[in-house]
Amino acid sequence: MKNTCFLLVIVTLFLSSCKSEKNVEIKVQKTNVLFIAVDDLNNWISPIQNFSNVKTPNFDRLAKMGVTFTNAHVQAPLCGPSRASLMTGLRPSTTGIYGMTPDNQIRRKDNPATKDITFLPEYFEQNGYHTMGIGKLFHIHAPDRVFNESGGRVRGFGPYPKKRFVWDGFGTSKSKKEKYGRTSTDWGAFPENDTLMPDHQSVNWVAERLQRDYEKPFFMGLGFLRVHVPLYVPQKWFDLYPLDKIEIPPYKSDDLNDIPNVGMQINDLPMMPSTEWAKESGEWKKIVQAYLACISYVDYELGRVLDALESSKYADNTIIVLWSDHGYRLGEKGTFAKHALWETATKAPLMFAAPNLPKGKKINAPVEMLSIYPTLLELSGLPAYNRNEGNSLVAMMQNDAGIDNSYALTTFGMNNHAIKKDGFRYIQYEDGTQEFYDHSVDPNEWNNETNNPKYKLQIEEMKKLLPNVNSKWDAKSNYTFQPYFVKQKVRIGTN
C-alpha cells in the first residue's frame, strides 16, 4: 500500500511538472500583438522632441510602458515604399518598390524579391495567430486575405469640407497638372466633433475586439490616417495651441545653395506650400498649429486604445509597437512635405512595450523601421524569418547590445540613399553626388560638408554601408507625383 501511494505521488508530481511546463509554453505562445501605425507623424511628440510644448499625454503614457527610440528612420520617405518595406522585411533597393504600389501588386510572380515573400501579419497567422486589421497599414489598407478579419479602410483622408480652407492643392503647378497632380494639403478646423473622424471609428472597432474571447493569440493592426494631410481635426484641438505661443522650425533661406542637382530635383514640389510663401502669407504658424492639433487628436485616440487594452483580459500579455511611415517637414528645407533624404523626412517615432522589456527607457542610437518585423517575432517567441533584412532590436532594448554600431539606411528612388550613423548623415545620389552633415555642430543640416577634408575618412566609412543590391524599379511601382521619379523609371527601366 505504501509503495502504491508513493507511486501515485511520483506520478502526480510528474504530471504537475508537465502541466507547469505546458502552461509556460502556452504563455509564450499567447503573447498578443497590437500593431499601431500613425501616418506622417514626425518626432515632435513629447517623449521625443516635445516641439512647441506639444500636448501628447498618451504618447508619454506609452513611453513609460516600454522603450522609445528617439532616432528611428524609415526605409523610404514616402508611405507606399516605406510600408511595403516594413511589411515584407525587405529594403526598397532589394524589391525595386520605390514608389506607390497597389497592395495586391506588392507580391507578384514577376518580382523575384517578393514573389514568395511572407508579409508580417501572415507570418503570425502561420504561427497560430488570429490576425485582424483596420485602417491604413499597407499603402491603402492591406492585400486581399492578408488578415483573417479586416475592418477595411475609409477611402481618402477625410472627412472633407465642401470647399478647401486655404490651399488649392496645385500651388504653382496648375499648368502642369499632368506632371504633378494635386496634393490634399490644406489646414483648418473640421469636422465638428471627433466621432466624425474615420480614426475614431477605427478605434471603436479595435476596442470592441479587445473585449472578445479568442481561441488563439491575436495580431491586431490599427492604422491611423492622421497626421496625414489635410490637417483637419475639430476646433478643440486647435484651441490647445494659441498662435502666439507656437514655435516654428529652424529655417535658413539660402539653405539649399549647396545641394546637388538630383537633391534639388527630388525637392521640387511646386504643389506643396513653400516656406517663403508661408512666411509672406502669414500661414506658417497656422500650418504648424494644424499639425500640432492633429498630433494631439491622434494622441487622444491612442489613449482610447490604451484604455481599452488595460480594461481587457489581454493587458498583461500584449506586445505594443507604435511607428510612423516617415517624418514630415514643416518648413525645413524650404517646403511642407516629406519626400526627401534629410533628417526631418526620414526620422519618425518608434515605440515598443512588452512584458519582457524595460519600462520608460529611451534609446538614442539610429535604428530602422525594417527592424520591426524581426523584433516582433523575437518578442513573441516565434522563430526568426530568414528573409528579413532588418535586425531584431530586442537585445538592444534589454541590455544595450549593438548600440555603438547601429545605423539606419533610407532609400528614395533607385540609387539614392541616406545613412545615419554616429551623429552623421551621409547622402549619395544616383550620379555619385553627395551630402554630408555633422549633427553635433549642424543639427539642422544647413552646411554640406562633402568637400571638407576633416570628414574624408568618415565619409569613406559610411559609403561602405550603402546597399550592394540596387534593383530596377518594380513594374507596378509608380510615383507620378514627382517628375524626377517618373523620368528615372523610364530611363532605367523596370525589373
Side-chain angles (χ1 to χ4, degrees), residues 367-387:
V367 296
E368 301 180 312
M369 298 300 173
L370 195 65
S371 292
I372 291 175
Y373 195 149
T375 300
L376 288 179
L377 299 189
E378 184 172 355
L379 287 174
S380 303
L382 301 183
Y385 180 35
N386 61 10
R387 298 285 299 279

Side-chain angles (χ1 to χ4, degrees), residues 16-76:
S16 298
S17 174
C18 291
K19 184 177 181 180
S20 175
E21 290 179 5
K22 185 177 180 181
N23 285 341
V24 169
E25 183 181 355
I26 290 174
K27 185 177 181 181
V28 171
Q29 290 178 342
K30 289 192 174 179
T31 305
N32 308 294
V33 176
L34 184 56
F35 179 88
I36 304 173
V38 186
D39 207 348
D40 283 27
L41 179 65
N42 65 17
N43 271 16
W44 282 6
I45 59 175
S46 49
I48 301 180
Q49 192 173 339
N50 195 29
F51 182 84
S52 196
N53 195 30
V54 65
K55 296 169 178 60
T56 53
N58 293 298
F59 280 105
D60 285 330
R61 177 180 170 189
L62 180 56
K64 292 175 183 176
M65 294 167 62
V67 180
T68 300
F69 289 91
T70 67
N71 196 8
H73 295 263
V74 298
Q75 273 46 75

Side-chain angles (χ1 to χ4, degrees), residues 43 68-73 343 347-348 350 362-368 393 396 400-408 420-423:
N43 271 16
T68 300
F69 289 91
T70 67
N71 196 8
H73 295 263
E343 183 87 353
K347 192 158 68 171
L350 176 60
K362 292 186 180 181
I363 295 177
N364 300 322
V367 296
E368 301 180 312
L393 300 173
M396 184 182 292
D400 296 336
I403 280 182
D404 292 340
N405 297 316
S406 187
Y407 72 95
K420 180 67 184 290
K421 189 178 191 299
D422 298 332

Side-chain angles (χ1 to χ4, degrees), residues 25 113 191 227 240 282 379 409 426 493:
E25 183 181 355
V227 189
L240 295 175
L379 287 174
L409 167 65
Y426 172 69

Side-chain angles (χ1 to χ4, degrees), residues 4-24:
T4 302
C5 290
F6 178 74
L7 180 61
L8 286 172
V9 169
I10 294 299
V11 170
T12 301
L13 289 173
F14 175 76
L15 291 174
S16 298
S17 174
C18 291
K19 184 177 181 180
S20 175
E21 290 179 5
K22 185 177 180 181
N23 285 341
V24 169

